[in-house]
Amino acid sequence: MLGVVEKDDEMDWLFSEPLPVRALGGAEVAFLLEGYEDDPQPEDYHAAIAAFLSAGPEVLTAAAPHVYDYYLDINSHWAPGDDEYVDIAAPDKVWDHVQFGFEAHVLRDGAGAPVYVSLECNCDWEPEHGLQIVFRGGDTVTKVGPYDGHSTNPGDVVYRRFRQQG
């Protein structure tokens, strides 16, 4: 499925050549596999990657309201006319303001945990922290928000406003 993967000894992960991802409109993504070589169930990585590659646009359609909540939270700091202000009329328009990342991190957060695919993206409303989209099992979005490098939130919340994270 991934073809030939190479080892990055410095980062201690495996990486693939870029592959087109249906859910991302055919955008090509390289996969970075963290912990794969030592994992007792590497087939879980295979399943998550296969699910991510075969998932359709409906995965992002279902996540759009949560991404829109993130946008609303950040955009609430600005007023129309401010340089930082971005006008997005509705959740179904939010993806017009997202630039998908070129690397998908595939990892497991501990023994027995699911395998996650994490994608770091740029977005027009938050150029500093961007957008992280995390797919549990490769096909279910379970986390969106600013990129923090973690694959889960406490309680596995899709988006938790910054004011509530305190």
Side-chain angles (χ1 to χ4, degrees):
M1 151 183 31
L2 290 182
V4 176
V5 294
E6 294 185 35
K7 175 133 181 164
D8 181 326
D9 290 321
E10 184 177 326
M11 298 303 291
D12 196 32
W13 59 35
L14 301 173
F15 64 95
S16 74
E17 291 295 318
L19 296 170
V21 178
R22 257 184 81 225
L24 307 180
E28 292 194 349
V29 173
F31 290 85
L32 307 175
L33 286 71
E34 299 180 34
Y36 174 83
E37 293 178 300
D38 298 324
D39 197 279
Q41 295 178 295
E43 63 276 5
D44 293 350
Y45 282 72
H46 300 220
I49 292 166
F52 185 69
L53 287 171
S54 64
E58 66 279 356
V59 172
L60 293 184
T61 300
H66 304 290
V67 177
Y68 191 71
D69 284 346
Y70 172 43
Y71 150 76
L72 290 173
D73 191 26
I74 298 302
N75 213 45
S76 70
H77 299 282
W78 316 114
D82 290 346
D83 289 341
E84 297 86 354
Y85 185 84
V86 176
D87 186 19
I88 304 175
D92 65 331
K93 302 296 183 196
V94 76
W95 298 114
D96 296 340
H97 298 272
V98 172
Q99 303 80 48
F100 297 113
F102 301 107
E103 298 174 336
H105 292 258
V106 185
L107 66 153
R108 187 190 303 271
D109 274 352
V115 173
Y116 293 90
V117 177
S118 176
L119 189 65
E120 181 180 2
C121 307
N122 291 322
C123 59
D124 295 343
W125 65 87
E126 177 51 290
E128 185 176 346
H129 298 105
L131 167 67
Q132 181 179 12
I133 309 169
V134 179
F135 302 78
R136 182 179 48 222
D139 60 0
T140 304
V141 175
T142 55
K143 177 183 175 184
V144 298
Y147 183 80
D148 65 7
H150 300 288
S151 58
T152 59
N153 278 326
D156 215 18
V157 174
V158 174
Y159 175 68
R160 177 175 290 176
R161 293 187 187 281
F162 297 126
R163 292 182 290 279
Q164 296 173 348
Q165 287 182 350

